[in-house]
C-alpha cells in the first residue's frame, strides 16, 4: 500500500502498523502509555512466526519503541530462535560475557558482574538509566529480555522514548544539540567504587565511541535524543562544567515520567525494545528484597548511528560488536 504524501514519521508508523494488523487480525497490539510500550497478544513465540507476524511485531516495535509478551516460557534455544527472526544476534555481552553454551545470551542476574560496586552510587533522577552498549561504535539495534525467575513483587523495569524526549525540546536547543557529539564509555556510576573484577573486565575489553547527541533512526527517520546516561561521559568540545550542566539537564528531561512506561514482570514475560530510540533502567528495589531475580537477554547487531548533521559515529577505542554466528564457546 502506498503511503499518502506529506505524512509525519509518526503518522507513517501508525499507517504501517495498521496495514500490518490488517494482514494479521489475530495479533493484538495494546498500547501501555501515551508515548511508549505496547502489549502484543495472539502469537506463540515457541514456534517460528510467519512473515506477516514478524512484520506486525516489527511495526509495533517501531511505533511503540518497546513491546511486551506474556506467558511465553521459552527455552534458551527458543529465545535465540525467536530473536533471530528480527536480525543477527551479537555475543551475549562484549564486556561481561555470555551464558555457557549459548554465546548469544547474557544473564541478567540480581548480582551480575556488571553491578560489581563496593559502594552505593550517588542517586539522581537519571542514575541507572542507559541505552545498551553505546560505548560500542555500533550499539545493538534491539534487545530481547526474557523473565524466568521473577519476585512476587518489585523488580519492575522502565523504558523512556528518546524520540518523544527530543520532540519536547525547544527549537533553539534542538538546533544547538544537532551540532554536538559526546564520548561514551564503560565506567561505574558517579559515587560507586568498582571492584577489581569490574575494572579488569572493562580494561580487557575497552570500548569508547563518539556519537552524535541527536541521531537519525535508520528505519523511521525520526530524530533521537541519543544521550545514554550510563555511558555518555562528556560532550566533545565543551568545557567541563558546560558539558556536565548540559548533560544533567538533558538526562533529567529524558526520564520525565510522561515519556516512560513501567513493566511488571511475570515468569514467561518478554520485553523487546528498540535500542536505537530508548533508554531503560533496571530496578533497584530488588536489592531490598530477599527474592531472587533471573532474566536472559539477546541483542541484535546494530549499525553505526548517523547524526542529524549527516556525520556517523566514530570509534575511539575497541571494535564493532558483530554477530556471534554460533561460535564455539
Amino acid at each position: 500500500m502506498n503511503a499518502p504524501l506529506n505524512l509525519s514519521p509518526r503518522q507513517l508508523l501508525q499507517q504501517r502498523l495498521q496495514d500490518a494488523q490488517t494482514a494479521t487480525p489475530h495479533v493484538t497490539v495494546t498500547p501501555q502509555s501515551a508515548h511508549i510500550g505496547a502489549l502484543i497478544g495472539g502469537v506463540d513465540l515457541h514456534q517460528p512466526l510467519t512473515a506477516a507476524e514478524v512484520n506486525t511485531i516489527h511495526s509495533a516495535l517501531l511505533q511503540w519503541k518497546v513491546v511486551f509478551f506474556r506467558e511465553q516460557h521459552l527455552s534458551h534455544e527458543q529465545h535465540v530462535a525467536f530473536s533471530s527472526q528480527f536480525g543477527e544476534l551479537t555475543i551475549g555481552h562484549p564486556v561481561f560475557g555470555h551464558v555457557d553454551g549459548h554465546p548469544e545470551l547474557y544473564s541478567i542476574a540480581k548480582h551480575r558482574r556488571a553491578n560489581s560496586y563496593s559502594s552505593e552510587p550517588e542517586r539522581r533522577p537519571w542514575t541507572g538509566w542507559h541505552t545498551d552498549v553505546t560505548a560500542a561504535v555500533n550499539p545493538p539495534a534491539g534487545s530481547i529480555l526474557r523473565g524466568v525467575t521473577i519476585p512476587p513483587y518489585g523488580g519492575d523495569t522502565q523504558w523512556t522514548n528518546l524520540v518523544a524526549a527530543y520532540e519536547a525540546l525547544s527549537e533553539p536547543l534542538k538546533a544547538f544539540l544537532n551540532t554536538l557529539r559526546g564520548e561514551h564509555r564503560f565506567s561505574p556510576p558517579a559515587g560507586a567504587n568498582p571492584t577489581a573484577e569490574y575494572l579488569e573486565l572493562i580494561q580487557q575489553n575497552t570500548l569508547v565511541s563518539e556519537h552524535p547527541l541527536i541521531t537519525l533512526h535508520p528505519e523511521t527517520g525520526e530524530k533521537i535524543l541519543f544521550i545514554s546516561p550510563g555511558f555518555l561521559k562528556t560532550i566533545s568540545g565543551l568545557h567541563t562544567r558546560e558539558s556536565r550542566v548540559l548533560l544533567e539537564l538533558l538526562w533529567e528531561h529524558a526520564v520525565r515520567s510522561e515519556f516512560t512506561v513501567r513493566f511488571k514482570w511475570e515468569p514467561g514475560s518478554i520485553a523487546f525494545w528498540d535500542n536505537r530510540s530508548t533508554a531503560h533502567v533496571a530496578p533497584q528495589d530488588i536489592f531490598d528484597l530477599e527474592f531472587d531475580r533471573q532474566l536472559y537477554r539477546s541483542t541484535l547487531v546494530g549499525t553505526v548511528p548517523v547524526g542529524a548533521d549527516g556525520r556517523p559515529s566514530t570509534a575511539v577505542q575497541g571494535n564493532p560488536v558483530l554477530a556471534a554466528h554460533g561460535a564455539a564457546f
Side-chain angles (χ1 to χ4, degrees), residues 246-258:
L246 181 54
L247 284 177
E248 290 185 352
L249 170 75
L250 296 174
W251 290 333
E252 184 175 19
H253 169 80
V255 301
R256 278 167 38 181
S257 60
E258 62 265 38

Side-chain angles (χ1 to χ4, degrees), residues 282-294:
Q284 292 302 307
D285 60 347
I286 57 173
F287 299 107
D288 298 324
L289 300 171
E290 62 183 13
F291 309 113
D292 195 11
R293 184 177 184 269
Q294 176 68 65

